[in-house]
Amino acid sequence: MSSKDEDVLAAVNLVDYLNYNQGSIVRKYWVHPFWRKNCYSRGLYSVFKELDDPDRFKSFYRMEKSTFEELVRLVGPEIQKKDTNYRRAVCPQERLLITLRYFAGESSMKAISYYFLRGETTVRNIVETISESLWSVLQPLYMPVPTKEIWTNVAERYQELWNLPNCVGSIDGKHIRIKAPDNSGSAFYNYKGFFSIVLMATADADGKFITIDVGEYGRNSDGRVLKECAFGKKLLKNQLDLPEPSTLPGEEYEPPYAYYFVGDEAFPLMNNLLRPYPRRQLTNAKRIFNYRLSRGRKSIECAFGMMTSKFRILKSPICRKIEKVDTLVKAICVLHNFIRTHDGIFSTSTDLQEFSTGYSGETQFNSQENRNRTRPSNVAVESRDRLCYYFLKPYASLPWQNNYAI
C-alpha cells in the first residue's frame, strides 16, 4: 500500500471515528424518496379535504373549522417557513394539523407520520416547535398576566354563576402522566401509582385557566407544590395584584372582605385561600359552607375534565423528556382557553339555579393530603367563619342549600 493510499485510509477512519463519537448519523437522503413521492399525492390531498367537512374536522382536530382558521391567522406568520433548493417547506396549516392530531392522543408519532406522509423526525420536530409557538403567541392573548381588572371581572362572574362573592378563582393540581425518567428514583412516582409531573392551575368561573405552573415532582402533594411554585410564592407574599377588600353583597355597612381563592382539603387555610371545614365535628352551618365552596371549587375540576377529554394525550403517559412535556402541557392549556373562548358554551345564572353537585356535606380526604402541621392564622380562621355565617343570612342564602345541611 502506498503512502497516498495510507493517507486516504487514515482520513476515512478519522471521519468514521468522529461520526461514532459525536453520535452523528450519515443520512442517505435529505428527504426519503417514499415521502418525497407521496407528499403531494392524493394522500395529502385527502387530509386537507377534511377541511370541507366541519363535523369531521371538529371530531378529528378538536375545534371548529372557523376556530382553526383564526388559529392559522394568529400563529401562521410565526411558523411560516421558506422553501429551499432541497425541499419544500411544510405549510402552516399542515404544521398545525399535525400538532393538533398529536394532542388528540389517538395516534402515535409513527401513525401520524404515515397519515400525513411526512417523516417521523419531521413530525416530531413540528410538534415541538409548534408547541413553543402556540404558547408564545396565544399566552398574551388568552392567558395574560392577571391584573386587578381581570381579577375583578373573575370575581363578578363567580358571584353571577356560583353565588360566591369576592372569589377570584379556584385552584387545584393535576397529575400529568409521563414515562419514568432515567435515574429519577421515586421523585416522579405519585400516590396514585404512576409517574407524573404536577400541573398547578387556577381557573375562572367558566372553566378557563387564569394561571398555570407545570413541572413539579409527582410525589409532592398539592400543598407542597403550591408552596414551591411561582404562583404560590406570590400568593404567600401578596404579590398577585389582587383588588382591595370590598364589602360583601347586602353588607354595605360591614367591614370589607378580602378577595380569595378556593381549594380543596390538600391546601392550607390562608387569608386569601379558603378550604372546606374538616369533616370532624361538622355543624349544619359548616356543611352549608362546604357545599357553597364546592360550587365554586368545581370550576377547576371542569377545566381539567374538558381539557383531558379534548386532548386525550393527557390520558396516557407522554414519552418525552421532562422539559418537552412542560412545553406540550403549556401549549395544551393555552389552546384550551383559545378553544373555550371561540367554541365554548357559557352558562347563565338561570341555567345553574338549581345545579346540584351531589355533595354529601362531608369533605373527602385522600392519601395525597399532607396533614398540614402549620396552624392557620387567626385572621384566616375568622375570615372563613365570617363567610360561613354570611351564607346563612337571608340575602345571601340559596333556597336549596339547607338540603345539604343534614
Side-chain angles (χ1 to χ4, degrees):
M1 181 181 294
S2 64
S3 60
K4 183 177 181 180
D5 292 337
E6 291 177 353
D7 293 340
V8 172
L9 182 59
V12 172
N13 292 336
L14 177 61
V15 172
D16 292 340
Y17 173 80
L18 292 176
N19 287 338
Y20 175 79
N21 284 275
Q22 294 178 3
S24 60
I25 301 175
V26 180
R27 299 182 181 275
K28 294 182 179 180
Y29 312 101
W30 183 264
V31 178
H32 195 281
F34 176 80
W35 307 121
R36 183 181 300 172
K37 177 181 178 181
N38 291 285
C39 273
Y40 310 101
S41 66
R42 188 174 180 180
L44 187 59
Y45 172 79
S46 65
V47 172
F48 285 100
K49 194 65 177 175
E50 291 175 352
L51 296 174
D52 298 332
D53 189 340
D55 293 334
R56 180 173 173 79
F57 181 87
K58 183 177 181 180
S59 174
F60 210 64
Y61 297 110
R62 303 296 194 262
M63 65 176 65
E64 299 284 356
K65 178 182 175 182
S66 59
T67 304
F68 175 75
E69 293 171 351
E70 175 66 13
L71 184 64
V72 173
R73 186 187 71 81
L74 292 173
V75 187
E78 178 78 12
I79 62 177
Q80 178 68 58
K81 303 296 181 180
K82 294 182 179 180
D83 295 337
T84 67
N85 294 330
Y86 298 98
R87 58 180 176 179
R88 293 176 59 182
V90 183
C91 65
Q93 291 89 338
E94 186 180 355
R95 296 169 71 86
L96 285 170
L97 290 176
I98 289 173
T99 305
L100 292 174
R101 188 57 193 158
Y102 177 72
F103 288 167
E106 296 174 349
S107 303
S108 63
M109 285 286 189
K110 186 174 291 292
I112 295 175
S113 169
Y114 280 97
Y115 182 81
F116 285 89
L117 301 176
R118 297 289 181 183
E120 187 175 350
T121 302
T122 301
V123 169
R124 183 179 295 106
N125 292 336
I126 286 175
V127 171
E128 293 177 358
T129 56
I130 296 301
S131 297
E132 296 174 356
S133 299
L134 285 172
W135 174 255
S136 63
V137 174
L138 298 182
Q139 180 269 324
L141 301 175
Y142 295 93
M143 199 186 297
V145 177
T147 61
K148 287 185 179 180
E149 182 180 0
I150 293 177
W151 292 127
T152 302
N153 293 335
V154 171
E156 292 175 354
R157 186 64 172 162
Y158 258 102
Q159 172 63 13
E160 177 187 354
L161 284 186
W162 308 118
N163 310 106
L164 207 58
N166 287 21
C167 179
V168 290
S170 55
I171 182 170
D172 201 4
K174 176 177 175 57
H175 289 275
I176 306 298
R177 293 175 178 265
I178 61 172
K179 181 182 177 182
D182 295 335
N183 303 319
S184 61
S186 60
F188 294 93
Y189 193 75
N190 62 41
Y191 75 101
K192 296 183 177 181
F194 57 85
F195 292 88
S196 68
I197 57 174
V198 180
L199 166 64
M200 182 62 61
T202 60
D204 62 14
D206 293 300
K208 294 192 297 181
F209 295 115
I210 305 173
T211 65
I212 61 171
D213 198 295
V214 59
E216 286 292 335
Y217 293 134
R219 70 178 180 183
N220 293 338
S221 66
D222 285 351
R224 175 67 179 274
V225 174
L226 178 66
K227 182 179 179 181
E228 298 295 332
C229 71
F231 171 82
K233 292 178 180 178
K234 289 188 176 182
L235 180 65
L236 290 171
K237 297 178 181 179
N238 295 320
Q239 297 177 349
L240 290 177
D241 197 23
L242 295 177
E244 296 297 326
S246 63
T247 56
L248 298 175
E251 294 189 344
E252 288 74 12
Y253 301 102
E254 297 292 332
Y257 194 85
Y259 286 83
Y260 58 89
F261 296 89
V262 293
D264 58 18
E265 306 83 6
F267 296 99
L269 177 62
M270 300 165 52
N271 298 347
N272 45 15
L273 175 58
L274 298 183
R275 52 166 284 173
Y277 286 101
R279 57 180 174 179
R280 58 182 181 276
Q281 299 179 350
L282 277 179
T283 63
N284 288 344
K286 292 180 179 179
R287 288 190 178 93
I288 291 175
F289 173 86
N290 285 358
Y291 162 69
R292 295 290 294 269
L293 207 68
S294 71
R295 283 170 55 86
R297 183 163 51 85
K298 71 178 183 56
S299 63
I300 183 65
E301 302 291 350
C302 291
F304 287 149
M306 289 185 289
M307 181 178 67
T308 303
S309 64
K310 187 175 295 291
F311 302 112
R312 297 182 182 178
I313 187 178
L314 301 176
K315 290 188 175 182
S316 57
I318 303 177
C319 300
R320 312 291 296 166
K321 294 182 179 179
I322 296 298
E323 57 272 17
K324 302 296 183 182
V325 177
D326 294 350
T327 304
L328 295 179
V329 173
K330 289 164 60 178
I332 289 174
C333 289
V334 75
L335 262 181
H336 165 81
N337 280 10
F338 172 78
I339 297 173
R340 182 88 177 115
T341 300
H342 291 276
D343 296 347
I345 299 176
F346 296 93
S347 303
T348 61
S349 57
T350 55
D351 297 333
L352 303 170
Q353 186 174 1
E354 295 186 3
F355 177 80
S356 174
T357 61
Y359 172 71
S360 64
E362 297 184 356
T363 57
Q364 301 297 322
F365 291 87
N366 56 49
S367 57
Q368 183 201 29
E369 180 187 1
N370 180 17
R371 300 290 198 268
N372 294 294
R373 299 180 180 178
T374 303
R375 183 180 180 85
S377 66
N378 292 334
V379 175
V381 173
E382 293 173 0
S383 178
R384 181 171 64 176
D385 290 341
R386 177 184 171 185
L387 192 61
C388 174
Y389 290 104
Y390 169 79
F391 290 146
L392 301 178
K393 298 179 179 180
Y395 49 80
S397 63
L398 300 177
W400 62 89
Q401 69 181 20
N402 290 331
N403 298 335
Y404 300 92
I406 300 176

